[in-house]
Amino acid sequence: MWEGLGSLLLCLLMVSSAPGPPPRRPARELDATPRTTIPYEELSEARHFGGRAHNYSTLLLEEASGRLLVGARGALFSLNAQDIGDGTHREIRWEASPETQSECVRKGRNNQTECFNHVRFLQRLNATHLYACGTHAFQPLCAAIDSEAFTLPRSFEEGKEKCPYDPARGYTGLIIDGGLYTATRYEFRSIPDIRRSRHPRSLRTEESPLHWLNDAEFVFSVLIRESEASTVGDDDKVYYFFTERATEEGSGFSQSRGHRVARVARVCKGDLGGKKILQKKWTSFLKARLACHVPLYETLRSVCSLDGGAWAHTRFYAAFSLAAQWRTLEASAICRYDLSDIQASFSGPYMEYLDGTRRWGRYDGAVPEPRPGSCITDGLRRRGYNSSQDLPSPVLDFVKLHPLMARGVGPARGRPLLLKRNARYTRLVGTPVTVPAGPTYDVLFLGTVDGWIHKAVVLGLGMHIIEEAQAFLEPQPVESLVISAAQHSLYVGAPGGVVQMPLSRCSRYSSCYDCILARDPYCGWDPRGRGCREAAVAPNRTALIQDMERGNRGCEGGADTGPHLPPRNRSVLRGDDVLLPCDQPSNLARASWLLNGSRVLMDGRDGYRVGVDGLLVMDTRPEQSGHYSCYAEENGLRTLLASYGLTVQPILSAPALAPGPPPPSHGAHLSPDVRLLYVLIIAALGGLCLVLASMLLYVVCLRGSGRRRTYSLARGTGRAGGSAVQLQTVSGQCPGDEDEGEEGTDRAGGPEGGGLLIIPGEGTPAPPPPPPAAPRAELSNGVGALPSRLRRMNGNSYVLLQQSENRAPTLPCSFTEELSRILEKRKHTQLVERLDESSV
Ligand SMILES: *[C@@H]1O[C@H](CO)[C@@H](O)[C@H](O)[C@H]1NC(C)=O
Ligand SMILES: *[C@@H]1O[C@H](CO)[C@@H](O)[C@H](O)[C@H]1NC(C)=O
Ligand SMILES: *[C@@H]1O[C@H](CO)[C@@H](O)[C@H](O)[C@H]1NC(C)=O
Ligand SMILES: *[C@@H]1O[C@H](CO)[C@@H](O)[C@H](O)[C@H]1NC(C)=O
Ligand SMILES: *[C@@H]1O[C@H](CO)[C@@H](O)[C@H](O)[C@H]1NC(C)=O
Ligand SMILES: *[C@@H]1O[C@H](CO)[C@@H](O)[C@H](O)[C@H]1NC(C)=O
Ligand SMILES: *[C@@H]1O[C@H](CO)[C@@H](O)[C@H](O)[C@H]1NC(C)=O
């Protein structure tokens, strides 16, 4: 009779770990899981700002005055940076007039999104004024705004040369010594350009005979003060990061001409343009390929730069998403670039366009002097080249035709820091954090397309994602991120509002192990005060326990292995199913269960199912009585989370005879009729579940025959909604798959080979709601605690269908291969019948 409920539980149980060796995973797959998940409801310290306006996409932090300035749609705000939600904000309404808006609609633009004044640029102009530009319903305007009075000026400046018309267009801009350096595609249908305006010498890029930029989408620009402490009297330079259409041929598959690649370009701040050749054009423009994980990750999404006080140590972190061919899949890569590598590329060989073959190739001819694209240095000044206007014609002619460098810029140490599936990063910012023991670590905050923030620390060759936090309840792209060290805050701008959250939440870590496993450079365990503390403000910084490098040392010997847990007693009838709840605090931990302190319980054996939420004992037998303890295994450490005393009663004895504290045993007094009714209800539910399960199986078979892809469950990240479903491709036997995943990355996943057949919840009917399990609860077998857990399991959208022993022979073995296969398939289908792209 209870098998009905058993199969229901089985239907819903989320299984995280499985017996057998860890799944094989190529070392290159660095897929990372955030260690902890903080859903919106648990983000209690966050402050919010939002009002009638939309699209809070431009943030400017003024640390000195403690204000956070926000450019939104039709408005500018000045917020108190200490607490953006304290209600003391000031506002400038700046909307496009109805006439401008109707003209915008007449031009065929969207009256719901585009025909507004989207403030896209907001920076400090001088000591008294800010400078802002808005799209102004496709007639861009700019304004110098008195920051004290915080009101619009009486007259505006023309914005056509400074601000894109399109609110969604990639755009980056800087104010340097009063001059405006902007890069975008300005007008509708114009070509993209890097421009300097509000400057005695306005400059732009060259368009003939070659376009220096091709369909470029800009993401970031930064001034590097390379003149500081320069022994050669070098100039300051502005670096631009963007994705553009490649005109050169690539190598390898998919690298046909016309694919989009990431680039870095630079110009000299002191550039004045040429005198006759390249008049009013940059004479110092050079660009180079920026490679991260070629050819998969080619679309640049965001870049940040960190220098730690000295420009020579400048490093860039860049977020990439998959190249356009794979746009139906979500995945991101993070790469680091060192300024010295970019400089090396710009001082290397050039590329040249050969009219004969109509291809780009490496230029091996003579390079004129002074070196084309270099800034004016002391050496050149001594030779009489006081500015770019003095440069000889051969040099300028060369610059005109050779904007592209032959050698690309590769990621530091030759590999990405992070590859992440099921996440698309839209913005990132970083800050160096010095730990009490001395070293400095770069901490990055990555905003996703659905409103989450991933906090990560860069550790040697890789990155560790400390946590993921849901900044917005409604999924929406993070459009802007700013860090304030003074306020210890991160500000997040998105379409629906601005959120302020603390840079660290050390008090969330309850034990010493939890504190060091987090590997958060902001946090350390205080052995005297017995708490996880903010390292920056702890009274005795150097006494804090931290282990950034390994993340598992320092807590031995202390008594802080976790809270003391008295066993909870459970008593069940023979043949019942019982769930012993045990929540894993960390997504990286693996649950392990011991019976009577020695026997290790394996998932799927002897009627035990091990899940992230607990242990399910099915069809209990008296010999399964004993002491059960639940451990979290993470990074070589094992911590006790819960323990239970389980007593299985022979079927005939009354529950009232159970030892230990008598459970509320109303069940014993229920009339036989009522019990029969309960039994029938449960049987009916069980039957319903079986029917649903077979329907699901049928659906899967239908889909499966079309796709021939099988997944095993790797791990749920615990967030609600199907977007978080992380699936791991079942590893088959693949050549070159022999090297095991790196330590720490190969967490428990699906069993090797034939595994649990799991289908993602998306697109499948939801499992039936949890049953009213009233009579079961009274037997205190844990089922009473189940409904909430079931909901969580439902939230993870997993449905366990059946165990499968058959091994699909042609399974792809890694994400990379999976993508390659998709591409291969696409090529074929395109050759054969030119299928609609969305069918991939
Ligand atoms: C936008 O245009 C649609 C149809 O052209 C119209 O129904 C709608 O009211 C307009 N919305 C606004 C805000 O003007
Ligand atoms: C700042 O710029 C504004 C606008 O160009 C100008 O009116 C103002 O005088 C400037 N202030 C200072 C201190 O230079
Ligand atoms: C502005 O916000 C709305 C949602 O509030 C969103 O649909 C739209 O795409 C946003 N526009 C831009 C340009 O970000
Ligand atoms: C460069 O400047 C120096 C001193 O300022 C001047 O003597 C020289 O003639 C200038 N050279 C050119 C080519 O203008
Ligand atoms: C700080 O910690 C060190 C090492 O544990 C200890 O020797 C010292 O007395 C502590 N200082 C204070 C002020 O607690
Ligand atoms: C569970 O039972 C054991 C002995 O069987 C007893 O020592 C322990 O205190 C009980 N625990 C609780 C929480 O009642
Ligand atoms: C565990 O220990 C209890 C007594 O402490 C014993 O009754 C039970 O049989 C043991 N269970 C197993 C599976 O060894």
Side-chain angles (χ1 to χ4, degrees), residues 316-360:
F316 302 95
Y317 291 97
F320 291 81
S321 62
L322 288 172
Q325 308 79 303
W326 293 291
R327 79 183 109 83
T328 47
L329 295 165
E330 297 240 339
S332 295
I334 307 290
C335 279
R336 171 190 154 132
Y337 302 94
D338 291 329
L339 179 63
S340 50
D341 290 340
I342 297 177
Q343 287 173 325
S345 169
F346 287 139
S347 47
Y350 301 85
M351 291 283 261
E352 175 181 44
Y353 186 70
L354 303 163
D355 281 320
T357 56
R358 307 175 119 225
R359 282 161 178 256
W360 285 82

Side-chain angles (χ1 to χ4, degrees), residues 672-726:
D673 295 356
V674 177
R675 300 182 79 175
L676 183 65
L677 183 66
Y678 282 138
V679 163
L680 285 174
I681 290 173
I682 288 157
L685 283 164
L688 179 69
C689 174
L690 281 175
V691 170
L692 275 167
S694 30
M695 276 169 59
L696 288 174
L697 190 62
Y698 178 66
V699 170
V700 163
C701 289
L702 277 184
R703 300 168 96 217
S705 62
R707 295 247 182 110
R708 279 197 319 152
R709 261 194 279 163
T710 313
Y711 296 103
S712 77
L713 177 59
R715 160 127 240 153
T717 52
R719 57 163 97 158
S723 71
V725 176
Q726 298 207 2

